[in-house]
Amino acid sequence: AGDGARVPWYRAVWTDISDDQSIAKSLSTFSAHLLHLREALLEADARTLLLMDEVAVGTDPDQGAALAQAALEPLADLHVPTVATTHYERLKLLAASDSRFRNASVGFDFERLEPTFRVQLGVPGASGAMLVARRMGLPGAVVDRAEALLGSGQRDIEQLLEQIDRERRDAQRETEAALQARAEAEARENTARTLERELQDRLTRLRRNARDEVVEDLRRARAEIDEIRKAAR
């Protein structure tokens, strides 16, 4: 969190995270998510913090994405503070058409297959499924076929998001390097200023000591002159 970040007091924090499917309760993954979503729609308000992981997942992706958007819109109408993670392209595009929503993405290093643990506001992230599949050793022919089935439009969007993420990470590294260089330059400048002050203090002391010695010499000279005058008289 940035400096000055503040979180208001919530009467409740509701979560829909992980998988609550249950054979005993005849609940599939999708059904379990719907129960949580129904509860939020019926009871959440502006003093409830709602955290949802993969809204309406576990069914046909197109239908799940439509349900997710249809549920998030009334939550926005009620001003319920909501953080919802998703891989649905429909929800990624929602922020572009509805100012009540804002995209954010969690950085992921596709070269090392590791999260960067940095949240970037304003830009959706790439799912990176094809790239991760290749990195995990899935046969190249399978991934190639999957990309062909995906279609050029969807593939281009995914590649664009991956490119944006790489450029953002490069810019972040450049910014960090610039900040480091600036901090080092400021440290050198502070050291130089401290040394300059020390030298100035030493020079002032030397001048003061020299002046005191001159004054003492003048005092002795005057005393000798007075003695000579007395002797002359």
Side-chain angles (χ1 to χ4, degrees):
D3 292 338
R6 295 290 184 272
V7 177
W9 178 263
Y10 294 109
R11 69 176 180 85
V13 179
W14 289 1
T15 65
D16 181 16
I17 298 173
S18 75
D19 192 339
D20 285 345
Q21 64 176 295
S22 171
I23 295 177
K25 298 179 181 179
S26 298
L27 287 179
S28 67
T29 297
F30 179 62
S31 300
H33 280 295
L34 290 184
L35 288 179
H36 294 163
L37 193 56
R38 182 186 65 181
E39 183 181 8
L41 289 168
L42 292 176
E43 300 186 28
D45 57 26
R47 295 182 299 126
T48 305
L49 178 60
L50 184 57
L51 308 175
M52 295 190 293
D53 182 36
E54 298 292 356
V55 189
V57 74
T59 187
D60 173 80
D62 291 335
Q63 296 184 35
L67 276 172
Q69 179 175 340
L72 290 174
E73 288 172 343
L75 290 172
D77 291 336
L78 295 172
H79 305 287
V80 179
T82 303
V83 178
T85 66
T86 186
H87 285 89
Y88 292 147
E89 295 298 328
R90 172 187 285 272
L91 296 190
K92 294 180 183 181
L93 297 174
L94 183 58
S97 59
D98 192 331
S99 61
R100 297 174 301 172
F101 298 94
R102 187 179 185 186
N103 273 322
S105 54
V106 180
F108 190 83
D109 190 330
F110 288 104
E111 299 298 323
R112 296 182 296 177
L113 298 181
E114 294 178 354
T116 64
F117 300 103
R118 290 182 179 274
V119 176
Q120 304 291 339
L121 297 177
V123 181
S127 297
M130 302 303 172
L131 182 58
V132 173
R134 290 188 188 277
R135 298 274 177 175
M136 296 300 293
L138 207 64
V142 173
V143 182
D144 291 341
R145 175 59 177 159
E147 289 179 339
L149 292 171
L150 192 61
S152 60
Q154 183 67 32
R155 185 168 60 249
D156 291 344
I157 292 174
E158 188 71 9
Q159 290 174 351
L160 177 60
L161 291 175
E162 291 176 7
Q163 178 65 26
I164 290 173
D165 187 66
R166 283 193 295 270
E167 292 177 355
R168 186 170 54 203
R169 284 187 284 111
D170 291 342
Q172 180 68 33
R173 283 193 290 267
E174 291 175 1
T175 299
E176 291 175 352
L179 291 175
Q180 180 64 26
R182 179 179 177 181
E184 293 174 355
E186 289 178 349
R188 288 194 295 269
E189 184 177 355
N190 290 335
T191 301
R193 287 177 179 174
T194 300
L195 181 58
E196 182 180 7
R197 285 195 298 268
E198 292 176 353
L199 292 174
Q200 187 64 41
D201 291 342
R202 290 178 59 186
L203 181 60
T204 300
R205 288 195 299 272
L206 290 173
R207 286 175 176 173
R208 185 184 301 114
N209 293 337
R211 185 181 63 230
D212 293 343
E213 291 177 359
V214 170
V215 170
E216 181 62 23
D217 289 342
L218 287 174
R219 189 189 64 76
R220 287 196 297 268
R222 287 172 180 168
E224 292 176 1
I225 290 173
D226 290 341
E227 291 298 326
I228 292 173
R229 285 176 177 171
K230 291 179 182 178
R233 284 197 298 271

